[in-house]
Amino acid sequence: MSKQKKDHSEEEVLVDVGQSLSKAEHFFEENRKSITFIAVALFVIVGGYFAYLHLYQNPREVEAQDSIFSAQNYFEQDSLRLALNGDGQNYGFIDVAEEYSGTKAGNLANYYAGISYLNSGDYKNAIEYLDRFDSDDEILSVIATGAIGDAFVELNQPKEALDYYERATSGESNEFVVPFYLKKAGLIAEEQGDFKKAAKFYNRIKKDFSNSQEASDIDKFIARAETKMNK
C-alpha cells in the first residue's frame, strides 16, 4: 500500500471513530436523565441487596440456628412432641420453619418436622413438611424424598409411594441410602404386580451397590421377580 493510500485509510478510520464518539456523546446528552436514573436505580438495587444480606438475612440465619438447637436436642432424645412444638420457652421445629422461612435453619426445620411427624404416625403432616424441604445434600435429599414414600406406604397409597422411591433413587449414587430405597421400590413394584420394574430395581442394587447391605441377599429377590415376570 502506498504511503498516500495508507494515510488516507488512517484518516478514514479516525473519521469513523470520531463520528462514533460524536454519536455516543450525542446519545448520552439526549438521554442523560434516563441513563442517570438507571445508574442510580442499579446502585439502589445492589446496595439494597447487600443491606438485606448483612442487616437482615445474616442476623436471621444466626437467630434461626440458635432457635433450632433446643428442638434438635429433643429430637435426639425421641421427645418428638417437644421437638415439634417446643417447650414453652424454646421453639420447636414448626415454629422455626414458620418464623425463619428462607433461612437454612428454617429449611432444615422442615426436614426435622417431617421426620418427627413420620415417626409419630402423622403421615399427612410428614408429607407436607418433607415436601417443603429442599437441599443439595445428597443424603438428606434422598432420605427426605424416600421418607415421603414411606408416609404414602403407611397411608396405603402404594402408587404414590413408588413414585417417590423412584424420585429418591433416580440418578443418585450414595451407597448408604440409595440401595435402601431401591429395595423398598422393588418390594412395592412387586406388590403392584410390576415384576419387570421390580427386577430393574433389584438388578441396579446388584450392579451399582454390590457392597451394600441390601446386596447381600439380592439374588433371591432378582430370581423371584424374574420368575414371576416370565410367567
Side-chain angles (χ1 to χ4, degrees):
M1 180 183 292
S2 68
K3 185 176 184 302
Q4 184 177 1
K5 287 184 178 180
K6 182 178 179 182
D7 291 342
H8 184 68
S9 297
E10 288 176 349
E11 286 176 5
E12 287 181 346
V13 170
L14 289 173
V15 169
D16 288 342
V17 170
Q19 288 176 346
S20 297
L21 290 172
S22 177
K23 288 178 181 178
E25 289 171 359
H26 183 66
F27 174 82
F28 183 82
E29 287 299 327
E30 285 190 344
N31 298 276
R32 181 185 295 273
K33 288 185 179 180
S34 60
I35 290 171
T36 302
F37 176 78
I38 291 169
V40 171
L42 286 172
F43 177 80
V44 170
I45 291 169
V46 172
Y49 173 72
F50 282 104
Y52 168 79
L53 284 181
H54 292 289
L55 300 179
Y56 178 72
Q57 189 64 13
N58 289 348
R60 285 186 81 235
E61 288 283 359
V62 174
E63 286 180 23
Q65 290 290 345
D66 290 340
S67 297
I68 201 174
F69 180 74
S70 175
Q72 287 173 317
N73 282 337
Y74 283 126
F75 180 86
E76 290 169 5
Q77 297 166 19
D78 280 337
S79 300
L80 299 180
R81 184 182 63 80
L82 292 172
L84 282 165
N85 302 303
D87 57 15
Q89 294 182 326
N90 300 292
Y91 277 168
F93 293 129
I94 296 171
D95 295 318
V96 176
E98 182 177 344
E99 293 294 325
Y100 297 102
S101 62
T103 67
K104 293 178 182 178
N107 181 48
L108 188 60
N110 285 316
Y111 171 83
Y112 274 113
I115 297 297
S116 297
Y117 274 124
L118 182 65
N119 291 334
S120 301
D122 188 340
Y123 304 117
K124 289 185 178 180
N125 271 321
I127 292 168
E128 180 181 341
Y129 278 90
L130 287 168
D131 196 45
R132 294 178 188 175
F133 175 68
D134 181 45
S135 177
D136 293 328
D137 183 276
E138 182 180 355
I139 293 178
L140 286 182
S141 179
V142 170
I143 292 174
T145 308
I148 294 176
D150 292 341
F152 275 119
V153 168
E154 297 295 339
L155 291 170
N156 197 28
Q157 296 179 240
K159 183 179 178 182
E160 289 78 4
L162 183 57
D163 178 53
Y164 275 91
Y165 288 148
E166 288 191 83
R167 292 189 201 182
T169 57
S170 177
E172 302 294 345
S173 59
N174 183 273
E175 194 156 336
F176 177 68
V177 292
V178 174
F180 177 71
Y181 288 110
L182 279 172
K183 198 166 190 178
K184 287 191 173 190
L187 292 170
I188 292 294
E190 281 196 77
E191 288 181 11
Q192 293 291 290
D194 193 340
F195 303 111
K196 183 178 180 179
K197 181 174 281 189
K200 182 188 76 171
F201 293 132
Y202 297 145
N203 275 301
R204 188 181 167 204
I205 293 173
K206 182 175 182 177
K207 178 184 175 183
D208 297 341
F209 305 100
S210 58
N211 295 322
S212 67
Q213 181 180 343
E214 287 74 22
S216 62
D217 61 349
I218 202 64
D219 283 335
K220 70 180 184 181
F221 288 89
I222 294 172
R224 183 176 69 194
E226 289 183 347
T227 299
K228 291 181 179 180
M229 181 176 65
N230 294 323
K231 283 185 177 181

